């Protein structure tokens, strides 16, 4: 089996929103639209419109059309900029918000400096947390974790905070 992945949560905060513990937060139902999302200080990263689209169902719906209707639909998608379903709504919901990823790692060895037990890389596409082999034991506390962003982000603005309590 190998080591487990660390537990994580991801959410998006409005500017000036009070800090929260995403693990303890009581997340409301996913917002129905952009207007609903605008009233929330924090949006769960798992409730974005881009994740609510069933691509299989979209493709099946297209195969049930006759050839003329299918060609008409393809032309409409090309004219509309051909953004994948849910992408534009997600972009509008996240505009001006800060992405916050919280990761719990209670199984790190307290005798070894934390920063020797994991590494963090942030790119415009994803966040990667790696766990090198620990000295003497030859094992890692966790399996690697990769969190892919729903849209391209500006990783040059990324910051990290470390809280030692677990």
């Amino acid at each position: 089996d190998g080591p487990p992945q660390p537990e994580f949560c991801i959410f998006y905060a409005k500017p000036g929103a009070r800090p929260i513990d995403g693990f303890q937060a009581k997340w409301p139902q996913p917002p129905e639209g952009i207007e609903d999302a605008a009233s929330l200080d924090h949006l769960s990263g798992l409730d974005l419109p881009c994740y609510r689209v069933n691509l299989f169902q979209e493709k099946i719906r297209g195969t049930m059309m006759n050839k003329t209707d299918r060609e008409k639909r393809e032309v409409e998608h090309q004219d509309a900029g051909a953004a994948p379903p849910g992408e534009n709504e997600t972009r509008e919901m996240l505009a001006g918000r800060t992405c916050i990823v919280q990761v719990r790692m209670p199984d790190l060895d307290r005798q070894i400096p934390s920063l020797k037990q994991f590494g963090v890389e942030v790119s415009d596409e994803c966040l990667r947390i790696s766990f090198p082999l620990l000295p003497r034991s030859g094992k890692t506390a966790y399996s690697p974790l990769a969190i892919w962003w729903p849209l391209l982000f500006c990783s040059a603005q990324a910051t990290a905070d470390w809280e030692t309590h677990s």
Side-chain angles (χ1 to χ4, degrees):
D1 287 322
Q5 282 191 325
E7 185 180 3
F8 74 94
C9 69
I10 179 170
F11 57 94
Y12 300 87
K14 275 182 166 178
R18 63 175 173 64
I20 64 167
D21 178 350
F23 294 103
Q24 300 297 320
K26 302 290 185 237
W27 297 105
Q29 290 291 322
E32 290 295 322
I34 299 160
E35 301 79 29
D36 293 339
S39 67
L40 300 172
D41 283 345
H42 302 93
L43 289 175
S44 170
L46 304 177
D47 291 338
L48 300 175
C50 62
Y51 300 135
R52 287 187 249 148
V53 174
N54 185 336
L55 292 178
F56 177 76
Q57 185 176 3
E58 290 290 318
K59 288 182 180 182
I60 290 295
R61 188 176 297 143
T63 61
M64 302 306 254
M65 297 178 179
N66 64 32
K67 185 176 179 181
T68 307
D69 290 340
R70 199 171 30 239
E71 289 172 355
K72 181 180 173 187
R73 184 174 181 220
E74 288 173 10
V75 169
E76 288 172 358
H77 279 279
Q78 290 172 353
D79 292 343
E87 184 175 309
N88 290 334
E89 294 88 350
T90 299
R91 186 178 315 283
E92 289 182 46
M93 282 185 182
L94 299 183
R97 291 181 180 263
T98 300
C99 176
I100 300 169
V101 178
Q102 296 174 336
V103 182
R104 285 189 177 161
M105 297 182 280
D107 294 338
L108 293 181
D109 188 331
R110 297 195 185 278
Q111 306 303 317
I112 300 172
S114 299
L115 294 178
K116 290 187 177 185
Q117 297 183 66
F118 70 92
V120 178
E121 299 173 51
V122 180
S123 72
D124 290 349
E125 292 91 19
C126 69
L127 165 81
R128 286 187 199 97
I129 303 176
S130 58
F131 298 90
L133 294 176
L134 297 176
R136 296 187 207 120
S137 71
K139 64 178 186 171
T140 64
Y142 296 99
S143 292
L145 174 67
I147 300 173
W148 294 91
W149 310 131
L151 308 165
L152 288 179
F153 284 155
C154 182
S155 60
Q157 296 177 358
T159 61
D161 290 326
W162 174 253
E163 292 183 22
T164 56
H165 68 278
S166 46

